[in-house]
Amino acid sequence: MAETAELNLPGGQSISLPIFEGTEHEKAFDIGKLRDATGYVTLDSGYKNTGATKSAITFLDGEEGILRYRGYPIEQLAEKSSFLEVAYLLIYGKLPTETELKDFSGHITKHTLVHEDIRKIFDGFPSATHPMAILSSLTCVLTGFYPDSLNPNQSTEEIDLTIVRLLAKMSTIAAWTYKNSVGHPLNYPRNDLDYCANFLYMMFSFPTEKYEVNPVIVSALNKLLILHADHEQNCSTSTVRLVGSANASLYGSVSAGINALWGPLHGGANQEVIEMLEAIERDGGDTSKFIAKAKDKNDPFRLMGFGHRVYKNFDPRAKIIKVAADEVLKALGLQDSPLLKIAQELEQAALTDQYFIDRKLYPNVDFYSGIIYKALGIPTEMFTVMFALGRLPGWIAQWKEMRENKEPIGRPRQIYVGETERDYVGIGERA
């Protein structure tokens, strides 16, 4: 017999709440019938203690530093998989066979080219437009080029095509967003390159010179995208699911997720890392001064990229990407860069200073990803675009799972704290 919990309410009223247990032994009270049976709702600001859905995509244990996609440890996937292989895993629930991966990758390569009218739309954005505004706008604009995506009753084949188009075209749009921001000519995708190499080509090649793809950088980008591919029910993912629950198209839902990620409390952490390092450099580069400021509870200064609101011990992604960061810096000859020297000193302090060890303020994935992006010459305003490109498979998988489970439209409740009923007062009689 399933476990239940008894909730006793004022006036002698009570209700038995079923206890639901997930496959990793997480437990939850099922309050689905609470309001209808008792008139009560729960109050949980920010939904920090509320399971809004059952999901089979990602398991995250912040206490133990565990992250798994569909049961596979992130460490194994980052070491052995390609980004598109992980995308397939997240979206379709299993690792692809060799034939399935070849077909999936081939279809994405075929659809990386975007309509020429999208290129014209770039000209309409002011030069100072933030890249995330362009990315979210053009993702939503794809509904205009593929209006069949608006049909909530698309067939499985039609949904698969929409998924492929989005995975393919976002890489081109993201690269073009960068090129547009710096006033460079746009590069068309190359079908002879894999996903990550093609993206780097569109970002950094010039018509006047031959672009050589650096395998170390391709490998680092592949790992970065994998590590960011999904992270359970975070703000942007919850946004994608909530918007999608209204039967919004995949393009519209992901566009909403991009805007949620744009918020500095969500996707801006790696940008804040570089801004912090640059501020320390401008001040003279004395890291001991800023470490002391970070320890001073009366000082507002905070070390960005250390600790994590979910991972209470260590961020499992950070250990993986640290190795890639070291490889990239060595490959580019940037080991002695003043900015990166500051980063290394802060990293060493966090790993050896008892103050940080006691508080588990270890470097997280944003710390190292920011360093890699800076080393590659990617502007800080583009960092969140890179985050969005990596998170795309997770958003797609979550939208698809929500649709397949026929989940109801999201409709959170509230506790009203405003004025009680009062009569209208004419404008001439108001104080």
Side-chain angles (χ1 to χ4, degrees):
M1 183 176 178
E3 284 186 284
T4 61
E6 198 74 15
L7 177 61
N8 295 314
L9 303 169
Q13 190 179 16
S14 67
I15 182 175
S16 291
L17 301 176
I19 295 177
F20 180 83
E21 183 172 353
T23 54
E24 289 284 355
H25 308 298
E26 295 173 301
K27 291 189 176 183
F29 301 116
D30 183 349
I31 60 168
K33 296 181 180 179
L34 178 64
R35 183 173 179 271
D36 287 342
T38 69
Y40 281 80
V41 298
T42 58
L43 178 60
D44 182 21
S45 298
Y47 313 114
K48 301 294 186 183
N49 304 287
T50 298
T53 189
K54 301 172 190 173
S55 179
I57 299 170
T58 296
F59 173 69
L60 188 162
D61 186 331
E63 302 296 333
E64 298 297 328
I66 294 172
L67 178 62
R68 301 187 193 123
Y69 297 161
R70 302 285 190 181
Y72 294 98
I74 191 65
E75 294 84 357
Q76 294 180 18
L77 293 173
E79 178 187 356
K80 300 176 180 179
S81 287
S82 69
F83 175 60
L84 289 187
E85 185 178 19
V86 170
Y88 189 100
L89 167 68
L90 288 169
I91 295 167
Y92 296 107
K94 70 182 188 72
L95 287 171
T97 64
E98 188 174 353
T99 300
E100 288 170 336
L101 181 58
K102 182 179 179 181
D103 289 344
F104 185 61
S105 302
H107 289 153
I108 288 173
T109 298
K110 177 183 174 182
H111 287 280
T112 49
L113 200 63
V114 298
H115 197 287
E116 276 296 292
D117 285 349
I118 289 181
R119 181 167 184 161
K120 296 175 185 176
I121 294 172
F122 271 100
D123 296 333
F125 288 104
S127 59
T129 304
H130 195 286
M132 286 293 277
I134 298 175
L135 187 67
S136 65
S137 299
L138 293 182
T139 299
C140 198
V141 158
L142 290 174
T143 58
F145 294 91
Y146 307 105
D148 288 348
S149 67
L150 295 168
N151 177 11
N153 299 311
Q154 281 186 303
S155 67
T156 300
E157 292 74 19
E158 290 170 328
I159 291 175
D160 286 344
L161 180 56
T162 298
I163 288 170
V164 163
R165 281 172 172 158
L166 183 54
L167 281 166
K169 296 180 191 308
M170 185 181 276
S171 65
T172 304
I173 291 171
W176 282 12
T177 297
Y178 165 69
K179 285 295 195 182
N180 185 71
S181 71
V182 293
H184 292 170
L186 307 182
N187 291 317
Y188 288 96
R190 279 175 48 182
N191 288 358
D192 61 318
L193 297 175
D194 66 28
Y195 192 88
C196 289
N198 182 50
F199 177 75
L200 290 168
Y201 163 78
M202 289 190 290
M203 284 277 285
F204 296 118
S205 67
F206 292 93
T208 55
E209 59 188 49
K210 184 179 180 181
Y211 180 74
E212 297 290 341
V213 177
N214 187 322
V216 174
I217 295 174
V218 172
S219 175
L221 178 59
N222 184 69
K223 285 183 171 62
L224 275 169
L225 297 182
I226 288 173
L227 295 176
H228 284 107
D230 197 54
H231 212 235
E232 204 225 33
Q233 302 304 314
N234 52 77
C235 178
S236 58
T237 299
S238 298
T239 298
V240 170
R241 291 188 79 123
L242 187 61
V243 173
S245 75
N247 275 352
S249 74
L250 179 59
Y251 300 130
S253 301
V254 168
S255 176
I258 292 170
N259 285 317
L261 186 69
W262 188 5
L265 290 181
H266 186 12
N270 48 19
Q271 179 175 338
E272 291 175 329
V273 168
I274 297 304
E275 290 170 348
M276 174 193 70
L277 296 177
E278 290 173 341
I280 295 174
E281 184 181 28
R282 287 193 300 270
D283 191 71
D286 183 1
T287 54
S288 60
K289 170 184 173 180
F290 285 87
I291 291 169
K293 286 167 65 69
K295 293 179 180 181
D296 184 353
K297 65 180 180 180
N298 296 316
D299 194 307
F301 174 77
R302 289 178 55 214
L303 285 179
M304 308 308 298
F306 294 83
H308 196 279
R309 65 171 57 92
V310 174
Y311 296 109
K312 305 305 181 187
N313 193 348
F314 64 91
D315 184 343
R317 302 167 298 174
K319 291 184 176 182
I320 301 166
I321 207 60
K322 170 180 166 45
V323 176
D326 292 340
E327 292 172 350
V328 167
L329 298 181
K330 183 178 179 180
L332 297 178
L334 295 173
Q335 305 98 309
D336 298 324
S337 160
L339 196 71
L340 297 172
K341 185 172 182 291
I342 292 170
Q344 290 166 347
E345 290 176 359
L346 292 177
E347 174 194 33
Q348 188 63 24
L351 295 175
T352 58
D353 191 306
Q354 201 61 43
Y355 177 89
F356 297 102
I357 293 172
D358 290 344
R359 290 161 178 77
K360 303 186 188 303
L361 296 175
Y362 302 116
N364 59 35
V365 69
D366 297 310
F367 182 77
Y368 295 112
S369 64
I371 291 172
I372 292 176
Y373 292 146
K374 178 68 175 179
L376 296 183
I378 297 174
T380 53
E381 282 196 337
M382 277 290 295
F383 285 9
T384 320
V385 171
M386 302 298 294
F387 194 157
L389 187 63
R391 184 54 52 86
L392 182 58
W395 287 337
I396 293 171
Q398 299 276 350
W399 180 92
K400 183 172 177 284
E401 180 182 65
M402 177 269 307
R403 283 291 185 89
E404 289 174 346
N405 290 346
K406 302 187 186 309
E407 295 182 17
I409 184 171
R411 206 301 186 185
R413 294 287 171 176
Q414 67 169 31
I415 305 299
Y416 177 70
V417 295
E419 297 286 350
T420 55
E421 184 178 5
R422 50 184 174 169
D423 291 328
Y424 178 85
V425 179
I427 191 167
E429 302 173 14
R430 298 172 199 165

